[in-house]
Amino acid sequence: MSRLPKLFTGFTHAVAASLVGLMFLTFILQIVIRYSAQLPWLAEMFPFMEPSRYGWTLEFCLFLWVWLVFWGNAFVVRQQDHVTFDILYNSVRPKVRRGFFVIFSLVIAVGLLASLEPTWSKFYVLRLKKTATLSSLFGDWVRMRDVYLVYALFLIVVPLRFAWLAYHAIRYGVDDPTNDAVGSALK
């Protein structure tokens, strides 16, 4: 069973790396087109270098950025990698620390799950809206819903992670070296 979590972790990291790679390549394409636009003869010789064909690159980078942020936070970023304000947390006894951890983990999980329905309702409207320029790249089927669909996935995965962390804290405590239950389970 330990092989499956490792494969899943590898897959999620590969998706995140692919998103970064695609964003970088699109950015390089933007630079090439921007500087080649100053040479009008180049677009005449090579019609595919016409700058007006590359308006989609900005929106595609934004699409990749949204996916990278929410995919990364749902699957790649470990619990100990988050910025925390833990002066009070570290100054209390371990039992109180455990209580803090469990309560706040459950509050985060419930809050994110509670926002799932209103978000999904907004996605229902976004299924009608087309993107401004991505249709020139992908066709007419790409909608704004597709751009933000990763947020719904984020709203499902992150509460599950925090619920698991709360369970792990209840069962083993928060001072356990394997406190990052999700991260250690996937390694």
Side-chain angles (χ1 to χ4, degrees):
M1 183 67 180
S2 68
R3 183 179 162 112
L4 188 61
K6 286 182 182 179
L7 286 172
F8 182 72
T9 300
F11 170 74
T12 59
H13 284 82
V15 169
S18 299
L19 292 170
V20 171
L22 276 171
M23 191 167 24
F24 177 72
L25 290 174
T26 306
F27 175 69
I28 295 299
L29 178 63
Q30 286 175 328
I31 292 171
V32 168
I33 295 302
R34 183 173 297 136
Y35 286 106
S36 70
Q38 296 177 9
L39 307 170
W41 59 268
L42 193 61
E44 290 173 11
M45 286 183 65
F46 305 104
F48 67 90
M49 297 286 286
E50 175 61 39
S52 63
R53 295 175 180 234
Y54 294 94
W56 59 267
T57 57
L58 178 62
E59 194 172 34
F60 189 61
C61 278
L62 293 173
F63 168 81
L64 292 171
W65 179 251
V66 167
W67 270 77
L68 180 63
V69 166
F70 290 113
W71 181 270
N73 278 300
F75 295 110
V76 177
V77 177
R78 299 169 303 172
Q79 183 63 25
Q80 66 260 26
D81 294 337
H82 287 281
V83 174
T84 59
F85 301 99
D86 55 2
I87 294 172
L88 178 62
Y89 177 81
N90 287 331
S91 66
V92 297
R93 295 172 300 148
K95 283 190 175 191
V96 176
R97 197 175 304 145
R98 179 189 293 190
F100 281 171
F101 192 87
V102 169
I103 289 169
F104 287 113
S105 293
L106 292 176
V107 164
I108 290 169
V110 168
L112 288 174
L113 284 174
S115 70
L116 185 59
E117 195 284 322
T119 301
W120 195 254
S121 296
K122 181 67 175 173
F123 282 175
Y124 188 73
V125 172
L126 288 178
R127 83 190 192 311
L128 302 172
K129 288 185 157 190
K130 295 180 186 178
T131 63
T133 59
L134 286 181
S135 59
S136 65
L137 179 65
F138 293 113
D140 204 25
W141 61 271
V142 176
R143 305 286 185 205
M144 290 303 292
R145 172 201 58 210
D146 304 323
V147 173
Y148 296 108
L149 195 58
V150 71
Y151 184 65
L153 184 64
F154 170 84
L155 288 178
I156 295 168
V157 171
V158 172
L160 291 175
R161 286 181 67 177
F162 274 98
W164 175 255
L165 289 171
Y167 165 76
H168 194 267
I170 290 168
R171 185 156 183 195
Y172 301 108
V174 291
D175 294 329
D176 182 17
T178 62
N179 185 28
D180 185 16
V182 174
S184 63
L186 296 178
K187 289 181 182 170

